Structure formats: C-alpha cells, structure tokens
Amino acid sequence: MAVATKSYTRTYHRFWELDILRTNAVIVMIIFHTLYLLSYFNIHYTDLNHLYWLWFAGGGGTFMFLAGVSLAIADARSKKITSFRMRGLKIFGLGMVLTLITLLISRTQYVRFGILHFFGIAFILAPFFTRFRYLNLILGTALMAVGIYLLGHRVTVGFPWLLWLLPYGFGTFDYWPLVPWFGLFLLGMFFGKVLYPQGNRRISIPEFSNPVLSAYTLPGRHPLWIYLGQWPTIIVILLLLFPANVLPYFPF
C-alpha cells in the first residue's frame, strides 16, 4: 500500500515577507546608529540604554533570526556547505576591516567582536547544525536563556580571549558575543526548517508584485552593504552639519 507523503512545489524565489522584515530592521538600525553617533559626537544626547531592547527586537536581533531562517532555506535548496563557510570568512574579513577603521577613531572603544564578526563565525559554524531541527530549538533556547541571565545580572568573563564567546565587560561601539546571540541564530534555523520546508513556504500566502513593494523591500535584499555604507554616510553628513563636534574625534 502506498503511503501518501506531503510534498512542496519547488518554486524557488525570494520571499517578500522576509525582505519586508529585513527592511524594517534596516530602518531601525539606521535610526539607532544615527542616535548613537549624535550622542558619541556630543551633538545630541539620547539615553540609548533605554532603547537597547528596541534595537535588539527590531534591528540586530531581527537580522540574526532572519539570517538563521535564510540559511535553513538555502540549505534546503542544496547549497554547498563550503559556500556558507566562504561567506562566513568574507563577512568576518569585513568585520576585521571595520575593527581597523574604528581603531583609528577610538583606541578604547574600537569594535573587537561586532555584528559582522558574529555573522562570520555564525556562518562558519552553521553547517554543523543544518542537519538538526529540534536540537537547534533546544540549544538556541538554552543559549538565549543563559546569555540573557548573564547580561541581566551583569555577569561577565574576566578573560579577554573569551570575549567572542561570552559577555565581556568593556566599552565598544558594537558587541555581539556568541552567547546568547548564536542561540537566536539557531532558533532562526529551526523556524526556517519548520516554516520553509524544502526551501518553500509551508503556509500559502498571496504573492505581491508591484513597484511600491519592490522599492520597499530593496533595502531588505541588501542589508550587508547598507550596514557598511551607513557608517561613513552618517558620519559625513554629521561632519558637514556639525564640523566642530565631529572633527576633534579624528586623529588625521
């Protein structure tokens, strides 16, 4: 007797709902980083500690979760493991370039393990977890719980060589250790497998194709380059508007 199995039509394309979420995250990212630079250059102070969780929920955290979802989709579409690792190495390399650039601006707060470093390591590690589903849910939840507990109670490690893994108490422009944030990446991989089996949607939703949606989702299709381009763009604009505030921060 034949056993009926559920199949999913292989119509590979981008998913507009994911691009919209990325675009929303890009908007939050640019707003948050603009406020950060305004405060850093003593132009207009904003207590960003009260906005951190807004940035996490709407910006950085969204990018991490969606990166896990997208990787699960790419894996289902038979992408080679080496392509994930090469992408990770390239992103990590960009992170090291950012480290050198920020080192020229601040010798104390330069980026040592920022979001680009995080994504680089996450993509390198991801192939070890693509075979799992519920284990990713368990590990992801555990990493998030441990990390949030450590952050909430201000528990940090005292070894600088572990700052990439566990929260480390120091001042920096950008910092995302693997605990807890790799847990969010794993949760994205889990939901990517559940919601997009075989690289396609499990739930049928309408497809939209119009110029307005295409324009709005454009940033969500290129978040990495927008992330890299936003910093010099915002700094140049602030330099032109407030040269007396910005110039003293550059040693050249």
Side-chain angles (χ1 to χ4, degrees):
M1 183 177 68
V3 178
T5 59
K6 190 172 184 177
S7 62
Y8 303 89
T9 305
R10 290 182 176 271
T11 54
Y12 296 156
H13 57 275
R14 296 191 66 93
F15 299 117
W16 62 265
E17 66 274 19
L18 299 182
D19 288 334
I20 282 182
L21 290 175
R22 287 194 197 92
T23 294
N24 294 340
V26 166
I27 293 171
V28 172
M29 173 185 70
I30 293 174
I31 292 173
F32 186 88
H33 289 158
T34 300
L35 293 174
Y36 179 88
L37 289 173
L38 285 170
S39 297
Y40 180 77
F41 292 129
N42 294 313
I43 298 170
H44 176 77
Y45 177 73
T46 301
D47 187 358
L48 296 178
N49 290 325
H50 290 89
L51 297 177
Y52 175 79
W53 288 108
L54 173 64
W55 158 232
F56 161 70
T62 299
F63 284 129
M64 292 175 183
F65 180 82
L66 291 179
V69 172
S70 297
L71 190 139
I73 293 172
D75 177 66
R77 294 176 176 181
S78 301
K79 290 290 183 71
K80 294 181 180 179
I81 288 177
T82 53
S83 67
F84 298 146
R85 290 176 176 154
M86 286 303 300
R87 179 171 175 79
L89 288 172
K90 291 177 182 177
I91 295 175
F92 189 83
L94 290 172
M96 294 306 297
V97 172
L98 189 62
T99 293
L100 294 175
I101 293 173
T102 55
L103 185 60
L104 296 175
I105 300 174
S106 174
R107 297 300 175 91
T108 58
Q109 298 192 58
Y110 68 94
V111 177
R112 300 179 214 183
F113 197 81
I115 199 163
L116 293 182
H117 301 82
F118 167 85
F119 276 127
I121 298 300
F123 274 95
I124 291 171
L125 293 177
F128 295 107
F129 297 89
T130 53
R131 74 192 71 176
F132 305 127
R133 176 176 293 193
Y134 290 102
L135 183 59
N136 287 340
L137 174 63
I138 295 169
L139 288 175
T141 302
L143 288 175
M144 287 296 295
V146 171
I148 290 174
Y149 174 84
L150 295 177
L151 292 171
H153 291 77
R154 300 185 182 277
V155 179
T156 57
V157 296
F159 309 103
W161 49 273
L162 281 179
L163 65 83
W164 60 275
L165 178 63
L166 295 163
Y168 179 71
F170 68 113
T172 181
F173 295 128
D174 191 36
Y175 182 46
W176 300 87
L178 294 184
V179 178
W181 309 123
F182 189 63
L184 191 59
F185 188 89
L186 290 178
L187 290 177
M189 290 180 64
F190 167 76
F191 282 100
K193 284 182 174 290
V194 171
L195 298 178
Y196 298 90
Q198 299 180 24
N200 286 282
R201 295 189 189 96
R202 176 182 291 274
I203 300 173
S204 177
I205 60 176
E207 288 290 350
F208 297 100
S209 178
N210 60 72
V212 174
L213 183 65
S214 179
Y216 186 79
T217 57
L218 179 62
R221 298 196 294 271
H222 306 282
L224 174 61
W225 301 115
I226 293 176
Y227 175 83
L228 294 173
Q230 65 168 332
W231 293 106
T233 301
I234 298 172
I235 290 174
V236 168
I237 291 173
L238 295 180
L239 178 61
L240 294 174
L241 295 176
F242 308 98
N245 295 82
V246 179
L247 279 175
Y249 286 87
F250 292 89
F252 44 84

